[in-house]
Amino acid sequence: MTAAGGCACKIPLDRMDALLESLGAHPAAFGGRTDNLVPGTQRDDAALYRLTDDLTLAFSTDFGTPVSQDAEIWGRIAAMNAVSDIYAMGAEPFLALGILGWPPELPNETVAQLMRGAVQALAECSTQLAGGHSIASESPVFGLCVIGATRPGRIMLQSNARPGDRLILTKPLGTGIVIAGQKAEVASAEAVSAAESVMLASNRTACRLAGEAGVDAATDVTGYGLIGHLRTMLVASDCAATVFPEAVPMLRHAVELAEEHGIVPNSAERTYFTLEDRVDWSDLPMARRIALCDPQTSGGLLLSASPGRARTFMARCAEHGLPAVEIGEVTGGGSAGTIAMKPLGRGAGEGTPA
């Protein structure tokens, strides 16, 4: 019932750039009180509002089309996806409002299953569903507006990446390819199960550990893929980056679907061509390039941290069984937002992951 699943239905990156440019430097320019609003010109994952000297609120909205044929699983994934924006800011969610668009021909029981999944996932994140809004829609759409809270010293911003920082990813890529493969009826049940397991995993522990390690730069990887969201972070921080493509964790089934069946999500292709002149792909095969642009739903956190803080964070992740991987480094050379692929066998630095 949908043209694309989950975050693959986002407005294309080039069109989104043009849309935001047309709005001006910041929506607050349209009026209203802005003295307590933390500037959001760098396209962070949530808006921040300083309530007191010791308390900052984080607000975000995220919704999309189904990513599973099981309504309850979709509800859980949609909730995890929405709260991830709050975690990417270093905040803890506590309240949510639902957003529902529902085709009249689908039974009410399916809605009940969807909401059960969402409420269960929110409960695991200590977040309460307090209400929401619904409309009739040709395609099913569901998501959440989420409110969280953090202390000033725990805030993570995309603009805080610095040359010399290590780049860390906390979930493997490839869920978008698997969802597209499922729509094309070539993804196995094992592939779908593996992708859903990734999307169902919460970023709560990764957020907490990052805060404890002093990490202050992060985003989450969603509809514009690793390359798209890394580019946004680098532009905000006026930096460039080197990525070790062999180190980037990917779902095995997703790589197979791209290589053997030619499964390419339309949004991944659009992101690839939009940023083609911003990325030095070296001799990386096309299937791997597409995977690095693959739209993720409920993807992992992409963190930028100094070498010492990166080591602390990685060690704590290992203790908690989180699959965090160092995938590159922030550099000061080149124009802001440019990315260079560096195969591990070609003079990679001492800190490069195996």
Side-chain angles (χ1 to χ4, degrees), residues 23 28 54 72 78 83 91 94 97 117 141 145 147 156 167 203 231 239 241 253 261 271 298 308:
L23 293 176
D54 298 321
E72 187 166 328
V83 298
F94 62 87
L97 297 171
V141 174
C145 172
I147 303 174
M156 298 192 293
L167 294 171
N203 285 323
R231 170 258 193 182
C239 295
H253 298 287
H261 296 277
T271 297
S298 187

Side-chain angles (χ1 to χ4, degrees), residues 242-267:
T242 296
V243 171
F244 312 121
E246 294 123 315
V248 178
M250 295 184 185
L251 291 171
R252 174 178 59 85
H253 298 287
V255 175
E256 293 172 355
L257 285 168
E259 292 178 343
E260 299 175 11
H261 296 277
I263 298 297
V264 178
N266 288 337
S267 55

